[in-house]
Amino acid sequence: MLLGCIADDFTGATDLASMLVKHGMRTVQRFGVPRDDEAAPDADAVVVALKSRTAPARQAVAESLAALGWLRRAGCRQIFFKYCSTFDSTEAGNIGPVADALLAALGAGFALACPAFPLNARSVYQGYLFVGGVLLNESGMENHPLTPMRDANLVRVLSRQTEGTVGLVPYAVVEQGAAAIRDAMTAMAEQGRRYAIVDAVNDSHLLAIGAAAASHALITGGSGVAMGLPENFRRAGLLPERTDPGALPAVAGAAAVLAGSCSRATLGQLGFAREHVPVFELDPLAVPDAARLAAGAIDWASGRLGATPIVIAASAPPDKVAAVQQLLGRDAAGALIEDAMARIAVALVAGGVRRLVVAGGETAGAVVSQLGVRSLRIGAEIDPGVPWTYAEGGDAPLLLALKSGNFGARDFFLKAFAVLD
Ligand code: ADP
């Protein structure tokens, strides 16, 4: 094992793992901190997925340190702390407190911080984070219910979260390439800065930053900046050229989609699927009970399972979601539907489903935990950020694709199965 990663949420972890596979590392994603006696998987990189983004800072720190301990015992040579490309964090952290704790535990004094992901329109210029053409705090992120981002200046944002000081490696230096970036970071570390926000507006910047950080004990950032890291290990003779780092065991069985996301992208994907395959819509307004809601869908699915995917969806447009939330309350409505989806997933797998797509981050979390899945071996991407994975820890061999709401093209639900054949 070469690279050990700690991610502050589940779908972000998959995004990072997929990036590492694309750049030649066999990668496994682990849900939660592995037990002490759990052996390291046969992989080049491991991503430990936590739910630490919005947890109390003390808890986020404790879980991240536990993950670090396991990753170091597993022999990882470098640690990557992954957060969102929009730097999602509360006023209390958790990016700063977690990074401070990881640095201290590693006995290191300095780390770079770079959330840029130009492919997804996240760029950092003069320390300011842009989403598309607008500043972070004008991108809608200022209204996020849990992690409102009201300041786009990452030097200021991170400074508020850490006991250390924060510098900037600006665009003009990054443009000059890896050696200049390395020199700038070394100078900053010598001046006693604990972090440097590093500008990046395109992939060649990210690759240069990755090369410049080859000797760093800890790197922090979005999944974008991880793209430069596999090459460091190849250059050092530690990582062979892998012809198919995303190879997964072949799994035969029925195909199904569970959609619990109400995002615009998912609603579009459902519209497309309705024209091609059987779709069942859950009606939580008529049946506000998880067990009965699940039973209706399971009844409908029996006799329909096979190579042609079936789709079971709770997804609804905003007015319908509002009606359900008014009846049940927002959190209770979400929890009820997640519970129903998790029960349906268990029944589908018991009925022979071996290829399962789940749409929605929270929905995927509920499904994965009910299925008893502990880790995912990461395969090839279906669409950017969404790979097929092989689930380990459940009762049956299973291919899973966990799609965060907004990801995927309109034909995603059909394409996902087509790429397997
Ligand atoms: P995304 O990745 O798009 O954010 P999530 O699964 O994380 O998707 O979140 C969607 C939430 O909406 C889940 O809690 C889900 O249970 C809930 N939900 C799904 N369908 C409905 C509906 N018809 N009415 C109310 N809530 C719903």
Side-chain angles (χ1 to χ4, degrees), residues 140-191:
M141 274 304 295
E142 69 276 22
N143 298 320
H144 190 286
L146 303 175
T147 52
M149 299 302 292
R150 301 199 174 102
D151 186 355
N153 184 310
L154 297 182
V155 174
R156 276 196 306 251
V157 174
L158 185 54
S159 293
R160 285 196 290 269
Q161 297 182 11
T162 172
E163 289 156 9
T165 56
V166 184
L168 171 69
V169 180
Y171 175 86
V173 172
V174 175
E175 260 296 288
Q176 292 169 39
I181 301 168
R182 190 183 313 117
D183 291 348
M185 291 195 292
T186 305
M188 253 172 227
E190 282 169 6
Q191 288 158 14

Side-chain angles (χ1 to χ4, degrees), residues 59-233:
Q59 183 186 334
V61 165
E63 286 178 11
S64 304
L65 287 176
L68 174 69
W70 186 85
L71 291 167
R72 292 179 85 189
R73 285 194 294 280
C76 293
R77 290 161 181 263
Q78 189 170 47
I79 300 297
F80 190 95
F81 171 35
K82 154 76 171 74
Y83 38 78
C84 191
S85 61
T86 40
F87 214 77
D88 299 17
S89 44
T90 61
E91 275 301 302
N94 290 338
I95 295 174
V98 168
D100 282 352
L102 294 175
L103 275 177
L106 287 162
F110 176 86
L112 72 86
C114 181
F117 197 176
L119 189 70
N120 283 354
R122 272 63 154 163
S123 53
V124 181
Y125 180 69
Q126 305 298 356
Y128 286 82
L129 179 53
F130 289 82
V131 177
V134 300
L135 287 165
L136 175 66
N137 58 309
E138 300 168 6
S139 69
M141 274 304 295
E142 69 276 22
N143 298 320
H144 190 286
L146 303 175
T147 52
M149 299 302 292
R150 301 199 174 102
D151 186 355
N153 184 310
L154 297 182
V155 174
R156 276 196 306 251
V157 174
L158 185 54
S159 293
R160 285 196 290 269
Q161 297 182 11
T162 172
E163 289 156 9
T165 56
V166 184
L168 171 69
V169 180
Y171 175 86
V173 172
V174 175
E175 260 296 288
Q176 292 169 39
I181 301 168
R182 190 183 313 117
D183 291 348
M185 291 195 292
T186 305
M188 253 172 227
E190 282 169 6
Q191 288 158 14
R193 299 245 192 245
R194 192 176 294 181
Y195 300 104
I197 302 293
V198 186
D199 280 356
V201 305
N202 59 42
D203 284 358
S204 59
H205 294 152
L206 293 177
L207 291 168
I209 295 164
S215 66
H216 290 194
L218 175 71
I219 295 166
T220 86
S223 56
V225 75
M227 74 170 64
L229 304 181
E231 185 57 28
N232 294 335
F233 295 114

Side-chain angles (χ1 to χ4, degrees), residues 36-53:
D36 279 353
D37 60 348
E38 208 170 306
D42 178 24
D44 305 315
V46 170
V47 182
V48 176
L50 302 177
K51 279 187 151 191
S52 54
R53 183 172 299 168

Side-chain angles (χ1 to χ4, degrees), residues 259-263 266 282 284 314-316 320-322 324-325 330 333-338 341 359-364 403-406:
S261 159
C262 301
S263 73
T266 301
L282 299 182
S315 318
K320 279 200 176 170
V321 171
V324 175
Q325 289 180 340
R330 188 177 60 184
L336 179 138
I337 292 162
E338 286 165 35
M341 284 298 192
E362 294 300 325
T363 309
K403 188 189 82 74
S404 107
N406 272 317

